[in-house]
Amino acid sequence: MNRIESAFSKAKSEGRSAFVSYVCAGDPDIDTSLEVCRTLIKSGVDVMELGVPFSDPLADGLTNQLAAQRALESGTTQADVFELVRKIRAENDEVPIVFYTYYNLMFSNGLDQYIADAKAAGVDGLLVLDLPPEEAEDHLASCEQHGMGTVFLIAPTTPAERVGYIAKHATGFIYYVSRTGVTGVREDLADDLNEMVGMIRDVTDKPLVVGFGVSKQEQVRTICELADGVVVGSAIVNTIKDNLGDTAAITGAMGTLVSDLVLGTKVR
């Protein structure tokens, strides 16, 4: 099994769902970002989703937009992001790393080369926010060639007949965006969550994670009763924003939050 398959298999064998964390690589700077990733791993995350900083994000709310802006303003480059992954891999060869990225960041310097370099650095999967599977032929072929997992989004507005098509092209896992709109902390989960997860389950048995708006342990627990994994991003990123300039405070607050949220995955 590859690292993504192993992570979901391990969580299932332990009677829980997988916890997927999101932070932006290089936020607030590349050195602190490495400490953030170390903290996430120590706190028990199963899959680490790293946002590749981009000047024009489409799916991110204000919290994650500002994270990308901080990373770019600190001078984070694509080479720095790959080096960050290599440093993580030198310390941990088990936790999967998925890039949350945009197509022109990959295409601009050669799609195949980007995927090859990402794989060589230790990346396990690519979630390309602005690339639907219908337009991903070259991407899919290159990912298959290099053994790179693919992750695609399903939204509350995705019709049932298209869910199967999307699932067919996801080789890593499927990410259900439980809310329309952009990323950000929400007080409540979507009313139709159970119905939508059930509809997706009817057409695929691939690992399914649910994200967008999750910030509390009880929300994590509710999702994990339905899905194979839960994604938490903005709530984690807020611990960086709230403690800028103090790495120890960032990692302390993040460790406390994530350790608490991870407890919500143990519901089975």
Side-chain angles (χ1 to χ4, degrees):
M1 287 189 289
N2 60 44
R3 278 187 285 255
I4 292 177
E5 290 170 337
S6 295
F8 283 99
S9 177
K10 181 174 183 287
K12 185 176 181 180
S13 71
E14 295 173 354
R16 59 185 180 84
S17 296
F19 188 92
V20 184
S21 62
Y22 169 88
V23 291
C24 183
D27 177 28
D29 57 72
I30 202 67
D31 291 334
T32 306
S33 191
L34 178 58
E35 294 304 319
V36 162
C37 291
R38 286 170 171 158
T39 298
L40 292 171
I41 292 170
K42 289 178 183 176
S43 301
V45 305
D46 297 287
V47 179
M48 201 154 49
E49 201 176 89
L50 284 180
V52 179
F54 182 47
S55 58
D56 299 280
L58 302 176
D60 284 321
L62 182 61
T63 294
N64 291 342
Q65 287 181 30
L66 292 175
Q69 183 175 320
R70 289 191 296 267
L72 292 171
E73 289 179 348
S74 74
T76 300
T77 65
Q78 184 61 70
D80 292 329
V81 176
F82 284 146
E83 181 60 20
L84 173 64
V85 175
R86 284 190 285 269
K87 288 180 178 178
I88 296 167
R89 280 285 165 256
E91 300 175 8
N92 184 288
D93 195 43
E94 295 182 5
V95 174
I97 296 172
V98 174
F99 272 178
Y100 177 108
T101 189
Y102 292 88
Y103 190 64
N104 61 343
L105 295 178
M106 303 168 61
F107 182 80
S108 58
N109 291 310
L111 176 64
D112 192 71
Q113 188 62 55
Y114 182 98
I115 293 172
D117 289 345
K119 184 66 177 181
V123 177
D124 301 285
L126 295 172
L127 169 54
V128 189
L129 274 295
D130 52 353
L131 182 65
E134 292 87 348
E135 300 177 15
E137 183 177 350
D138 291 344
H139 171 73
L140 291 167
S142 187
C143 284
E144 182 177 6
Q145 178 184 347
H146 296 289
M148 178 70 76
T150 57
V151 180
F152 286 103
L153 300 174
I154 292 174
T157 53
T158 303
E161 60 269 21
R162 188 165 179 264
V163 169
Y165 182 84
I166 294 171
K168 175 184 173 183
H169 292 90
T171 62
F173 56 86
I174 298 163
Y175 188 149
Y176 174 57
V177 176
S178 61
R179 295 275 192 175
T180 55
V182 296
T183 59
V185 172
R186 311 287 178 91
E187 285 301 312
D188 301 303
L189 297 175
D191 293 337
D192 63 350
L193 179 61
N194 199 330
E195 176 186 351
M196 288 298 298
V197 169
M199 184 266 286
I200 297 168
R201 292 286 202 200
D202 285 342
V203 298
T204 180
D205 59 0
K206 290 182 179 177
L208 171 65
V209 307
V210 176
F212 273 47
V214 184
S215 62
K216 304 173 184 176
Q217 188 187 117
E218 54 266 37
Q219 293 174 327
V220 170
R221 182 169 287 108
T222 298
I223 289 171
C224 290
E225 290 174 348
L226 303 171
D228 301 299
V230 60
V231 187
V232 180
S234 296
I236 296 174
V237 174
N238 279 336
T239 65
I240 300 175
K241 173 186 70 75
D242 293 343
N243 295 283
L244 290 173
D246 189 338
T247 301
I250 289 172
T251 57
M254 186 176 295
T256 298
L257 172 67
V258 174
S259 296
D260 176 70
L261 294 173
V262 166
L263 292 175
T265 66
K266 301 174 182 179
V267 298
R268 298 180 182 178

